[in-house]
Amino acid sequence: MQKIRYCALGAVLLLSVSSVSVLAACGRRSFAAVTSETATHPFAETERETVQTEAAREKKNDERMEEGNEGYRGFTLDDVLHSEEGDVHFNLYIPESYDGNTPYALYLTLPGYEGLYFQGVGINIQSEDFAFEAQKYNEKMIIAAPQLEDWGEISARKTVSLTEYLLDHYSIDRMKVYINGYSGGGETLSMVLDMHPELYTAALMCSSRWDGGYDTVTAAKISVYFVIGDSDEYYSADPFRKAYQEIRKRYEAEGLTEDEISKLVQLDVKPESYFRAGGVNNQHGGGGMLFPRDESVMGWLFGEH
């Protein structure tokens, strides 16, 4: 795990539904206190399950892959891909209906700070609901939930390696490859899209900021949706507003129509009333809870653009 870099602006107090989290440092490299409002807790042993779906998983023999031997709500926990960038730990869901003959959709969800690997195996799919809510939109979809070490360039390269592995080893509909990132996972996602946007069909950026470039994204014309609270306590909405405008500017320069641009990039800044109605008190952590359950948000990701 990288050392977390702190800024000198001091401590910020954030209130969540279930607890009071103290933000020990407000720099862009400390996510500990802006956790999802679905607070993390260690897995109880009774929540784990023995993986018994070997036939459904159809894993190919590959010396780069180590398969986990425990599961949680249909996911195999702690599969490990030995990539050139280092080990990639991830949790994997293969629908029982998958037999390798019909191409399935693929979805990757990148977690915030509380879901990183050092926090505990499988904690990302316990603390965030993206992986489970996604199943409501497409029954024929393989879902991978990586647990990265941080939100930097190496983690972005590991995400690319995992995506390429899954595309190579499963029957995937290349027109239905989706990815999202929440908080620190969104920072990673922006770099993933800067590196290899052509791997994905659509990307959902939640409560985060854009750290990558823009030219490769607009050249690939991947659809990107930005969603954040208007008063997000960690990032503010300004970085997303800037990224949205930068992407729009490039499409406008190409002569794309407003309708064409709106299919390729969307900015959704949620007002305070949205979070109050959802029963949460802070917008950053609340986004991690509300956005995966919002049909207008997730429906966009898995819809046609």
Side-chain angles (χ1 to χ4, degrees):
M1 171 184 134
Q2 285 186 341
K3 290 184 179 179
I4 299 174
R5 294 183 285 176
Y6 299 93
C7 80
L9 296 182
V12 178
L13 183 64
L14 299 178
L15 299 179
S16 68
V17 170
S18 58
S19 64
V20 177
S21 299
V22 178
L23 183 57
C26 59
R28 60 183 297 275
R29 293 303 181 196
S30 177
F31 290 92
V34 285
T35 176
S36 168
E37 302 219 5
T38 50
T40 57
H41 302 285
F43 278 110
E45 288 303 313
T46 55
E47 291 179 315
R48 292 184 183 266
E49 57 196 35
T50 302
V51 176
Q52 297 176 332
T53 56
E54 185 72 22
R57 292 174 56 79
E58 288 291 316
K59 266 208 174 69
K60 306 288 180 68
N61 291 327
D62 191 321
E63 63 181 9
R64 295 178 298 163
M65 174 60 68
E66 249 181 81
E67 185 176 349
N69 57 15
E70 289 186 296
Y72 176 73
R73 293 177 63 183
F75 279 79
T76 302
L77 296 177
D78 205 23
D79 283 353
V80 183
L81 174 65
H82 303 296
S83 77
E84 292 181 358
E85 302 294 343
D87 289 348
V88 187
H89 296 265
F90 65 102
N91 310 303
L92 187 64
Y93 168 77
I94 307 292
E96 291 185 4
S97 59
Y98 176 80
D99 60 11
N101 296 319
T102 301
Y104 271 38
L106 174 64
Y107 169 52
L108 289 87
T109 178
L110 308 183
Y113 178 88
E114 294 296 333
L116 296 179
Y117 188 66
F118 75 89
Q119 302 279 15
V121 169
I123 206 70
N124 55 329
I125 58 174
Q126 185 187 31
S127 61
E128 297 178 18
D129 288 338
F130 291 98
F132 299 110
E133 292 296 319
Q135 296 173 33
K136 300 175 181 178
Y137 294 88
N138 190 342
E139 295 179 352
K140 296 182 178 181
M141 184 159 67
I142 292 170
I143 301 173
Q147 286 196 268
L148 304 166
E149 284 75 25
D150 58 24
W151 42 93
E153 183 176 336
I154 297 299
S155 289
R157 294 189 183 281
K158 287 184 176 183
T159 301
V160 169
S161 294
L162 177 59
T163 303
E164 292 175 333
Y165 175 87
L166 295 170
L167 291 174
D168 288 344
H169 287 75
Y170 293 92
S171 179
I172 302 296
D173 183 343
R174 295 300 297 268
M175 300 301 293
K176 296 181 178 180
V177 182
Y178 312 106
I179 188 168
N180 90 279
Y182 164 67
S183 192
E187 294 194 46
T188 306
L189 174 53
S190 70
M191 288 182 278
V192 168
L193 297 180
D194 190 20
M195 294 172 184
H196 286 285
E198 76 283 352
L199 294 175
Y200 309 95
T201 305
L204 173 63
M205 297 276 298
C206 302
S207 304
S208 189
R209 59 177 289 159
W210 189 275
D211 288 343
Y214 304 104
D215 292 341
T216 55
V217 173
T218 54
K221 290 185 169 52
I222 177 178
S223 298
V224 181
Y225 190 104
F226 297 95
V227 60
I228 195 166
D230 187 40
S231 299
D232 183 278
E233 296 86 353
Y234 190 81
Y235 295 99
S236 86
D238 290 341
F240 269 8
R241 289 191 175 100
K242 176 184 176 182
Y244 171 73
Q245 290 299 331
E246 289 290 338
I247 292 173
R248 274 194 63 93
K249 182 170 63 177
R250 284 162 174 76
Y251 286 137
E252 289 169 353
E254 291 183 34
L256 272 63
T257 66
E258 184 61 35
D259 183 59
E260 289 171 330
I261 294 174
S262 67
K263 291 178 181 178
L264 290 170
V265 62
Q266 290 277 334
L267 175 63
D268 185 358
V269 178
K270 300 294 189 184
E272 182 182 352
S273 58
Y274 174 88
F275 297 93
R276 285 202 308 268
V280 297
N281 294 323
N282 87 65
Q283 295 187 8
H284 188 80
M289 184 179 77
L290 298 180
F291 296 157
R293 302 173 190 174
D294 189 326
E295 293 182 3
S296 68
V297 173
M298 295 291 276
W300 179 94
L301 180 62
F302 300 117
E304 299 295 328
H305 309 295

